[in-house]
Amino acid sequence: MNIKHRLTVRFVIQLAVSGILVLAAAGLSVQWMLQRFEEIQLSHDFASVGLEKLVESSKLGPDGFVFDPKLLDQVKANHGWLQSLDEEGRVVLSYNTPPDVPKHYDPGELLAYWNRTEPFPYELYLYIQEKDGKLFTLVYGVKNELELLLEQVKGGASRDESGQLLLPDQAAARLQSLGGYVQWLDASGNEMAAYNKPEQIPRSYTIQDLALRTIYKERYGYGIATSYNKDSKDTWIIALPNQARSNANSSSLLPPETRVMIVGVSAMLAAMLLVFIIMSLWSAHRFGAPMLHMLAWLKALSNKVYEEPADRKGRPRSRNSSGQWRRRYRMYTDVMQSLDQLAKTLHRDETLRLQTQELRETWISGITHDLKTPLSAIKGYAHLLANDGYDWSKEEVCSFSNIMLEKSTHMDTLINDLAMTYRLQSGLFPPETEEVELCSWLTHTLGQAASDPAFGEARISYHPLAEEVVVRTYTPWLSRIVTNLVANAFLHNPADTLLTVSLEWRTDHRHICIIFSDNGSGMDERTLDGLFERYYRGTNTVHASAGSGLGMAISKGLVEALGGHVTAESKLGEGTVIRVVFPAAKRTGRD
């Protein structure tokens, strides 16, 4: 998997994890808000909501229902009580039941209390449930403060001479403790008198006002009960604060549902922000730190520092103590390996540049010396010939001229070789190629090379193929290549060195290989690496007549210009093998 795919997978995983965490935070926040809403609803209207939940969460035991303790606490908080009745009306289980509540109900008795056809100090709610073949009745009762106060006020309220409303002592004390108020309205809905009324309560009502305040008690903060006298056409209003509002902080102006919504949404946003911060820090650590490390490495490379930046322990930052990639660097393995390869290449190139510069200076000194040596000889013999004090014979003049011609030819060879290396470096192409039968051509060319007295006799062994091999080449260049390789094998090896030249097909049978193998002294690794470099070996005066010292560099350039390539293998004391490979035009069997 390349770096593109790895980054894609990592970012997809990161986004998926972020999404899951955000959804989890949102889900938890919503669940918390729903639980709070349910608690608020239970505290506001336990009779319609809580009874059903009591039955849903209950378990049927030997003695009837076993209820959820949290819901029982809510019953107590709402100042209510519970009874579980069997089919005969007997109480089998009770909770927070006042002493004035019966322990047994006749069928008509419970119904009369429930329908309020008989006086009962509590408002009753019934829920009937069948479980395991038995029918149970759940009775929830809550003291009806509004109805009791309303009856007390109607029966004993009056006004004094100043118009102030006077209530019975028990009703007045109860209203004060509960934070409620009383209003006495005339036939038009205007207030005639009031007791303990807050300032925000209106003094006049319409039909719609009374209806809305009766239905939507949560909106106005008070539950109200009214009584209308048909004869006098006046109306009594008793109001008590809602249970939730009375228990809430009096300084809060927001409904409990709104506060829950604000807290829940704020918590959800805070959790999302925390998730994004954590994921951002993780991304910075996971993705940013390796990038900064790679940038630091590139900056170090620009300053010719080729080692990877290290930590305080001296280890590369991308590696652990065992040399393996650290986890956050594994994604960038391709980049790190490329940087490592780049550092090695730059280091090698810098070392090679310095070596080449040193070799070039040595080469320039050597070739300058080689040019000055024959030039000094030419100049000396020229002075001798130009001196009138001597009367040279014809034979002496001819000898001097031959020496001067030989030295000038050597200088010309040096200059031509130098020019050839630069031409090959700039991309030289053969003037005109032709098809040549390689086996016979090598026989002729190697025969000429073997006749050179400088190489000795019977030192070249040639093994042609049994078939004709036709190549397209430029023969002057090919001749120069063969001559240079033969000369290099004899001039830089002991006098008894033998050279074997052979031909073989490559495995694809479309390229022919000329192999030059000698049994000379061989070369060390450094000499072998610089064998075809222009500046690796300067010319010297020992073999000045045999060449320019640029033969191997020229040979490689000519081989490549002809569309081939050359390789060399050598070990000290084991000789040298040089392979020159050319594309073959065709092959045919010999007659």
Side-chain angles (χ1 to χ4, degrees):
M1 186 182 296
N2 57 30
I3 186 172
K4 176 182 177 181
H5 294 159
R6 285 198 296 269
L7 284 173
T8 301
V9 170
R10 288 296 179 89
F11 280 122
V12 168
I13 292 175
Q14 180 179 347
L15 290 176
V17 171
S18 300
I20 292 172
L21 293 177
V22 168
L23 289 176
L28 292 175
S29 299
V30 171
Q31 183 180 5
W32 180 85
M33 288 189 290
L34 291 176
Q35 290 177 349
R36 299 289 84 76
F37 288 152
E38 183 178 313
E39 292 175 0
I40 294 171
Q41 186 68 22
L42 287 174
S43 65
H44 289 175
D45 191 6
F46 187 85
S48 60
V49 179
L51 290 180
E52 183 178 358
K53 291 191 66 66
L54 269 174
V55 174
E56 290 177 353
S57 61
S58 67
K59 296 180 180 179
L60 186 61
D63 297 327
F65 290 115
V66 178
F67 301 114
D68 185 355
K70 293 183 179 179
L71 293 174
L72 293 179
D73 292 341
Q74 188 63 50
V75 170
K76 188 174 183 179
N78 287 358
H79 306 288
W81 51 269
L82 284 174
Q83 286 181 324
S84 176
L85 309 180
D86 60 14
E87 293 178 350
E88 285 76 25
R90 292 190 300 269
V91 177
V92 296
L93 185 66
S94 64
Y95 177 77
N96 200 39
T97 306
D100 56 347
V101 176
K103 306 296 184 185
H104 178 272
Y105 297 91
D106 295 330
E109 180 185 8
L110 180 61
L111 193 61
Y113 293 155
W114 181 45
N115 291 327
R116 304 192 65 80
T117 58
E118 289 292 330
F120 195 69
Y122 301 96
E123 187 173 358
L124 297 182
Y125 301 89
L126 304 181
Y127 198 92
I128 300 174
Q129 178 71 31
E130 181 180 1
K131 279 194 174 183
D132 297 338
K134 293 183 179 181
L135 197 63
F136 287 88
T137 301
L138 188 63
V139 180
Y140 172 71
V142 62
K143 197 167 186 178
N144 195 338
E145 296 281 356
L146 286 172
E147 295 294 338
L148 292 175
L149 287 172
L150 184 60
E151 292 299 327
Q152 292 175 1
V153 169
K154 286 169 51 179
S158 62
R159 285 192 295 181
D160 60 11
E161 297 177 355
S162 62
Q164 293 293 325
L165 185 62
L166 299 177
L167 301 181
D169 292 341
Q170 184 179 0
R174 189 60 178 166
L175 277 173
Q176 288 286 348
S177 64
L178 295 177
Y181 66 90
V182 176
Q183 280 183 299
W184 189 12
L185 308 180
D186 60 16
S188 299
N190 297 318
E191 181 183 296
M192 295 188 296
Y195 180 83
N196 200 36
K197 186 192 73 171
E199 294 181 359
Q200 70 270 20
I201 302 301
R203 295 178 57 86
S204 178
Y205 295 90
T206 64
I207 296 175
Q208 292 80 9
D209 288 339
L210 279 177
L212 290 173
R213 286 179 177 272
T214 302
I215 297 173
Y216 302 108
K217 62 180 183 177
E218 300 304 328
R219 180 186 301 177
Y220 297 98
Y222 288 87
I224 67 173
T226 62
S227 178
Y228 176 71
N229 191 323
K230 187 175 181 181
D231 296 330
S232 62
K233 296 185 179 180
D234 56 2
T235 302
W236 287 96
I237 297 178
I238 303 294
L240 293 177
N242 296 331
Q243 182 67 31
R245 183 174 293 274
S246 64
N247 293 336
N249 191 344
S250 59
S251 62
S252 176
L253 300 178
L254 296 175
E257 293 86 350
T258 304
R259 293 198 301 273
V260 169
M261 182 68 71
I262 292 175
V263 173
V265 172
S266 300
M268 181 170 59
L269 293 177
M272 291 179 181
L273 180 61
L274 181 62
V275 168
F276 287 131
I277 290 175
I278 292 175
M279 296 304 294
S280 298
L281 293 175
W282 183 82
S283 297
H285 174 77
R286 198 74 172 177
F287 302 107
M291 290 183 180
L292 292 177
H293 173 70
M294 289 185 285
L295 290 175
W297 196 354
L298 288 173
K299 185 176 181 180
L301 290 177
S302 66
N303 295 325
K304 297 184 179 181
V305 178
Y306 303 108
E307 297 295 331
E308 181 180 353
D311 56 16
R312 289 175 295 179
K313 296 182 180 180
R315 292 195 302 262
R317 294 185 183 275
S318 61
R319 305 279 184 169
N320 54 27
S321 56
S322 61
Q324 301 296 322
W325 294 107
R326 295 183 185 272
R327 182 179 297 274
R328 58 182 173 177
Y329 289 92
R330 291 174 187 172
M331 182 183 306
Y332 301 98
T333 302
D334 297 341
V335 180
M336 297 298 295
Q337 290 176 346
S338 298
L339 281 175
D340 185 59
Q341 186 63 37
L342 175 62
K344 292 178 180 178
T345 302
L346 290 176
H347 189 204
R348 184 178 65 249
D349 290 348
E350 178 65 15
T351 303
L352 183 60
R353 186 187 68 81
L354 295 175
Q355 291 177 351
T356 302
Q357 183 177 353
E358 180 181 356
L359 292 173
R360 182 169 60 245
E361 293 174 355
T362 304
W363 182 84
I364 291 174
S365 298
I367 200 167
T368 301
H369 175 268
D370 283 355
L371 286 172
K372 284 185 176 180
T373 299
L375 184 61
S376 299
I378 294 172
K379 188 177 180 180
Y381 284 110
H383 279 297
L384 289 176
L385 292 175
N387 193 338
D388 295 337
Y390 296 93
D391 186 14
W392 304 106
S393 65
K394 183 177 180 180
E395 290 76 9
E396 289 176 325
V397 171
C398 184
S399 175
F400 293 164
S401 298
N402 288 332
I403 295 173
M404 293 171 65
L405 181 60
E406 179 185 351
K407 299 299 182 181
S408 63
T409 300
H410 178 61
M411 291 179 63
D412 183 63
T413 301
L414 288 173
I415 294 172
N416 288 336
D417 285 352
L418 183 60
M420 176 65 77
T421 59
Y422 282 99
R423 290 171 62 196
L424 289 171
Q425 187 181 20
S426 61
L428 181 64
F429 296 96
E432 182 178 355
T433 60
E434 60 180 332
E435 288 189 353
V436 176
E437 202 287 303
L438 188 60
C439 294
S440 58
W441 183 89
L442 275 176
T443 301
H444 174 72
T445 304
L446 291 174
Q448 289 184 335
S451 64
D452 191 331
F455 301 156
E457 295 182 359
R459 295 179 63 187
I460 300 178
S461 175
Y462 174 50
H463 303 285
L465 292 175
E467 55 185 333
E468 293 184 352
V469 179
V470 179
V471 296
R472 179 168 288 278
T473 186
Y474 181 58
T475 53
W477 286 6
L478 185 57
S479 178
R480 178 71 179 273
I481 294 168
V482 172
T483 303
N484 286 348
L485 294 178
V486 171
N488 187 74
F490 290 143
L491 295 178
H492 298 285
N493 280 309
D496 58 348
T497 299
L498 299 178
L499 174 65
T500 301
V501 181
S502 59
L503 291 173
E504 72 175 21
W505 286 101
R506 309 301 288 174
T507 55
D508 58 3
H509 293 283
R510 289 184 294 181
H511 291 77
I512 191 68
C513 179
I514 309 174
I515 303 173
F516 297 83
S517 176
D518 66 60
N519 61 349
S521 56
M523 293 175 281
D524 58 25
E525 185 175 352
R526 181 179 179 185
T527 303
L528 182 63
D529 290 339
L531 180 62
F532 297 107
E533 296 296 331
R534 285 195 303 163
Y535 302 122
Y536 187 75
R537 292 192 179 193
T539 56
N540 53 62
T541 56
V542 176
H543 300 293
S545 61
S548 63
L550 296 170
M552 297 305 291
I554 292 174
S555 297
K556 180 183 178 183
L558 292 176
V559 169
E560 293 174 352
L562 291 172
H565 64 273
V566 59
T567 60
E569 299 176 6
S570 183
K571 289 184 179 180
L572 283 175
E574 298 182 10
T576 301
V577 177
I578 297 178
R579 291 179 173 85
V580 181
V581 180
F582 290 109
K586 57 184 177 179
R587 53 189 290 189
T588 59
R590 292 182 179 273
D591 296 334

